[in-house]
Amino acid sequence: MHVAIVHDAVGNTDAPDARDAIVQADAVARALGELGHTVCRIACSLNLLAVAAELRSRQVDLVFNLVESVGGQGRLIHLLPFCLDALAMPYSGARAEAMMLTSSKTMAKAWMAAGGIPTPAWVGPWPGTDGRRDEAACGRGTWIVKSVWEHASIGLGPQSLIPNAGPQEISPQLEQRAAELGGACFAEHFIAGREFNLSLLAHPEGPQVLPPAEIIFEGYTPEMPRIVDYRAKWDQSAFEYHHTPRCFAFGASDAGLLARLAGLALRCWDHFGLRGYARVDFRVDDAGAPWVLEINANPCLAPDAGFASALTQANIPYTDAIGRIVAASLPPA
C-alpha cells in the first residue's frame, strides 16, 4: 500500500513536546517500510484544503494519523480525521468522534461518568459549560488544574496543585490560569496515590491489554508533588525527568488491582469506541480504588515513550504493532 504519514507541522525551534511528532513519524515510517509499504509524509496545517489536495494527488491508500494539534492547537486535533471521513479515505487510530470526545478532558470525564467509569470529581471547564460543577460531590480537598485540550503535560507543574480548597474557591482561579493552559482549563480532585498507564493494541480477537506500567516517584521529598509534569516528560536537565521511571514489575499482592485496571481499560475502549491503539491513565487512591484520569486515543508512538515500552514488555516487536494498527484501520476484506 501507499501510506501517507500525516503529522503536526513543526520546526526546529518548537518545544520538545512538539518536535516529538517528527520522532514518531520517523519510527512509524521505518516500520511501514519494513512491512513493505511505500511511505510519504505530509505536515498538517490549518490549510486542510491543501492537505486534502496533496493526499489526492499522491493517491494514497491509507493515512497514518499522527496529528496531535493543528495550528498549534490541541483542540483542533479532530479536524484531520473529520476531513478524512469527508474524503472517504481510511486512516489509522480512533475515528473522528472518539478523537474529539477523548481529547476534551472534561467531555471525556462526563462521558466516563455517564458510563459508570470512575473518574475524579471536577470543576469547570473555563470557559465553557460542558463540564460538571457538582459541588456537593466535590467537597474540600486538593485540586489539580489542567488544560482541557492540551496533552503531553503542557502547563503542568508544582503550581498546578491547589490544596485545601472548595469548588467555590477554585472556580475563580480557572479564569486566571486558562491562558497558560492553552486557553481553557478545569480543576480535578487530586488523587494522591499510585499512578498507572495501561496501553491497548488492536488484535483480530479484540483489543489486547499490554503489561501495565506504574510511574515511580523516586527520591521525591514530601513537599514535592507526585505528578508527571512537563519537566518530568520533556526537560532532560530536571530532577523530575530522571526520577519518574516506569515500573513493570509487580508482586502477587497487586494482582487483583491490575486485573481491575485492565477491566476498566477495556471498558474505556468499548465505551469510547476506540480503534487501533490507546492508553488509559489511572490513579489509585489510598483505599485501593482506581480512578481514570485520561484516555489517550492516539498515544505517543516514539520509541522511548510508554506505548513502545509496553510493547517491549509484551514481546511484541514495534513493527508488528504498527502492522496491527494498520490492519485495524482497513475495512473487512
Side-chain angles (χ1 to χ4, degrees), residues 119-301:
T119 187
W122 73 99
V123 174
W126 192 94
T129 56
D130 59 315
R132 182 175 68 172
R133 293 180 176 84
D134 189 351
E135 298 185 5
C138 293
R140 296 189 68 82
T142 298
W143 300 81
I144 182 168
V145 181
K146 299 178 175 179
S147 172
V148 172
W149 293 99
E150 303 301 332
H151 293 268
S153 295
I154 291 175
L156 272 187
Q159 78 286 352
S160 301
L161 291 183
I162 303 176
N164 190 28
Q168 292 181 334
E169 300 162 71
I170 293 295
S171 292
Q173 297 196 40
L174 298 182
E175 181 176 359
Q176 299 168 12
R177 296 177 178 229
E180 64 189 41
L181 291 164
C185 65
F186 71 106
E188 180 180 70
H189 181 62
F190 180 61
I191 307 296
R194 301 167 70 183
E195 178 159 332
F196 293 85
N197 311 134
L198 268 72
S199 299
L200 300 105
L201 176 64
H203 185 276
E205 298 179 0
Q208 176 182 358
V209 182
L210 303 182
E214 180 176 7
I215 303 298
I216 305 299
F217 297 95
E218 288 181 341
Y220 273 51
T221 64
E223 296 76 24
M224 296 176 68
R226 285 163 166 72
I227 57 175
V228 184
D229 62 12
Y230 191 86
R231 296 170 305 176
K233 281 193 174 177
W234 304 108
D235 184 355
Q236 297 186 23
S237 67
F239 172 91
E240 290 80 358
Y241 183 90
H242 298 283
H243 291 80
T244 50
R246 301 180 194 91
C247 172
F248 289 94
F250 299 98
S253 60
D254 281 327
L257 171 62
L258 298 181
R260 293 169 65 191
L261 295 177
L264 281 171
L266 289 170
R267 282 179 61 188
C268 291
W269 180 281
D270 291 336
H271 189 59
F272 284 84
L274 303 178
R275 186 179 68 166
Y277 64 118
R279 193 191 72 235
V280 182
D281 298 339
F282 294 90
R283 280 270 177 158
V284 178
D285 65 23
D286 291 341
W291 301 85
V292 178
L293 302 183
E294 297 177 21
I295 298 166
N296 299 276
N298 62 338
C300 180
L301 291 176

